[in-house]
Amino acid sequence: MAAARDRHDRSPTWSLLSDKITTSPDGQEDEQEDEQEDEQGGQDSDNEYEYPSDPDMDPRLKRQGIQQPPPPPPPPPPPEPSLEVGATLTPNGAFTSPTSSDDDQTKLKFCTVCASNQNRSMEAHLQLSLAGFPVISFGTGSQVRLPGPSITQPNVYSFNSTSYDAMYRELESKDPRLYRANGLLNMLERNRNVKWGPERWQNWEVGVPRLEHAQDKGSIGSEGGVVDIVFTCEERCWDAVVDDLLNRGGPLNRPVHIINVDIKDNHEEALVGGKAILDLATSLQKAATLYRNADSLTGQSGFDEQVPTLLADWQERWPTLPALWTLSYF
């Protein structure tokens, strides 16, 4: 038993501070030797073991049974870039947005026209503007005519001088039940949220900046007072626009496509016609982006040549809306 105890008492022990294996008669570390080594470690800068400045990393804490805090978690990976619908990858690895300023150079400018600039042209104006297209709208009649109590008693207003809000308040004061039932108040409510009032095509000064229309929907991009595509909603309106441009003589020598989409003048057909015009405008915009990005001169002529083909493809998708087309000049 004595021999076994002696072997146990002389078993090696590991010193964390001295990094040495020591033996002691009683199986315990020599506290005095540890204290001397602690003092030497604090005084001798050439000691092979340097005490860390962080107390959490001090190995003496391990001897006292104090656990070190866990290491901090690694930083999260960088988030992947979110791609907008229609974004494209450039050769340098960057993504471009479909609404970037580069696309503004190829974005088509539209104009919608009906007789009184009230129903069909304004529905198309609204849908094009909500899709982000620059758009303006006009009427070709001599006056603005809205249905009244009878077919012989229409409500007549002047272009360019009577606002949609004034028309709304007047009809509401006359017979709110009648004009809400026939949809006029709802139509005027929509119109006054799109622009100030009806404009006449024949009074439009092409090429003159439209700075006073900055609050109109679709005004961004159409401030220059010129457009690329004119959509009319009735054949007589198409005739009036074509004749007016011929009479003006094309002083700007700027090509413009005149496209008629025959839409019946009621609220339901106007909604369907507005969607059809938006569909055609989207197809035209895709072609314009393709050709104009290729070359500014030949790209324009290439786009002009593609318009009849695009219109024919569109007509197959909307067979109930007869279409006409011609190329004219501002």
Side-chain angles (χ1 to χ4, degrees):
M1 292 291 294
R5 186 183 299 109
D6 183 63
R7 287 195 304 269
H8 175 72
D9 292 343
R10 294 181 178 274
S11 61
T13 60
W14 183 262
S15 174
L16 292 173
L17 297 181
S18 62
D19 292 341
K20 299 177 181 178
I21 298 178
T22 61
T23 59
S24 59
D26 55 357
Q28 298 180 352
E29 296 176 347
D30 190 347
E31 296 182 357
Q32 294 181 355
E33 182 179 356
D34 290 344
E35 291 176 358
Q36 292 177 358
E37 290 178 357
D38 290 345
E39 293 176 357
Q40 293 176 359
Q43 295 176 358
D44 187 5
S45 60
D46 295 331
N47 193 340
E48 63 180 3
Y49 186 88
E50 295 183 1
Y51 290 95
S53 59
D54 186 357
D56 293 336
M57 300 301 294
D58 194 333
R60 287 175 293 181
L61 296 178
K62 295 182 180 180
R63 287 196 308 169
Q64 298 176 7
I66 301 178
Q67 296 182 353
Q68 298 185 20
E80 296 182 358
S82 59
L83 298 183
E84 191 174 352
V85 176
T88 57
L89 181 64
T90 59
N92 60 1
F95 290 97
T96 60
S97 169
T99 58
S100 63
S101 58
D102 293 340
D103 291 340
D104 294 341
Q105 304 297 326
T106 61
K107 183 171 288 187
L108 294 175
K109 303 171 181 62
F110 296 96
C111 174
T112 61
V113 180
C114 67
S116 293
N117 197 199
Q118 287 283 351
N119 184 30
R120 296 164 292 180
S121 63
M122 288 300 292
E123 179 62 37
H125 183 145
L126 176 62
Q127 295 205 31
L128 288 171
S129 65
L130 292 178
F133 290 112
V135 57
I136 57 180
S137 59
F138 297 96
T140 57
S142 58
Q143 290 180 309
V144 177
R145 299 179 184 275
L146 297 177
S150 67
I151 194 172
T152 59
Q153 295 176 296
N155 294 284
V156 181
Y157 304 96
S158 298
F159 280 103
N160 304 315
S161 60
T162 309
S163 68
Y164 293 119
D165 184 66
M167 299 177 193
Y168 181 94
R169 288 185 283 105
E170 180 179 321
L171 296 183
E172 187 180 38
S173 64
K174 286 182 177 181
D175 193 338
R177 183 177 180 180
L178 169 65
Y179 293 117
R180 193 164 295 280
N182 64 11
L184 283 185
L185 290 181
N186 293 334
M187 180 188 72
L188 291 170
E189 175 68 24
R190 175 203 64 196
N191 292 352
R192 67 181 181 176
N193 290 322
V194 174
K195 67 176 191 175
W196 182 84
E199 302 174 74
R200 189 167 185 258
W201 168 273
Q202 290 84 344
N203 297 336
W204 177 29
E205 298 181 30
V206 179
V208 176
R210 295 170 52 86
L211 302 180
E212 69 277 10
H213 296 274
Q215 301 302 318
D216 296 354
K217 289 187 182 297
S219 62
I220 299 177
S222 63
E223 305 92 338
V226 293
V227 297
D228 302 292
I229 310 289
V230 175
F231 290 117
T232 61
C233 302
E234 190 176 346
E235 187 171 350
R236 62 170 177 160
C237 298
W238 185 78
D239 292 335
V241 169
V242 173
D243 291 343
D244 180 70
L245 291 179
L246 288 175
N247 293 332
R248 296 191 187 203
L252 301 181
N253 196 30
R254 179 187 175 97
V256 56
H257 296 269
I258 316 297
I259 301 174
N260 182 69
V261 178
D262 207 12
I263 304 171
K264 294 181 180 180
D265 194 6
N266 59 63
H267 303 298
E268 294 77 13
E269 293 295 330
L271 182 61
V272 174
K275 294 179 180 179
I277 288 177
L278 176 59
D279 179 32
L280 180 54
T282 303
S283 299
L284 293 170
Q285 180 60 66
K286 290 180 180 178
T289 302
L290 177 64
Y291 282 96
R292 291 184 176 182
N293 280 338
D295 185 86
S296 59
L297 182 60
T298 60
Q300 177 63 43
S301 62
F303 167 72
D304 294 337
E305 294 172 358
Q306 284 296 312
V307 170
T309 303
L310 296 171
L311 183 59
D313 294 339
W314 172 89
Q315 188 71 85
E316 293 181 358
R317 299 194 299 270
W318 301 87
T320 60
L321 299 174
L324 293 172
W325 165 83
T326 189
L327 179 65
S328 188
Y329 288 85
F330 281 134

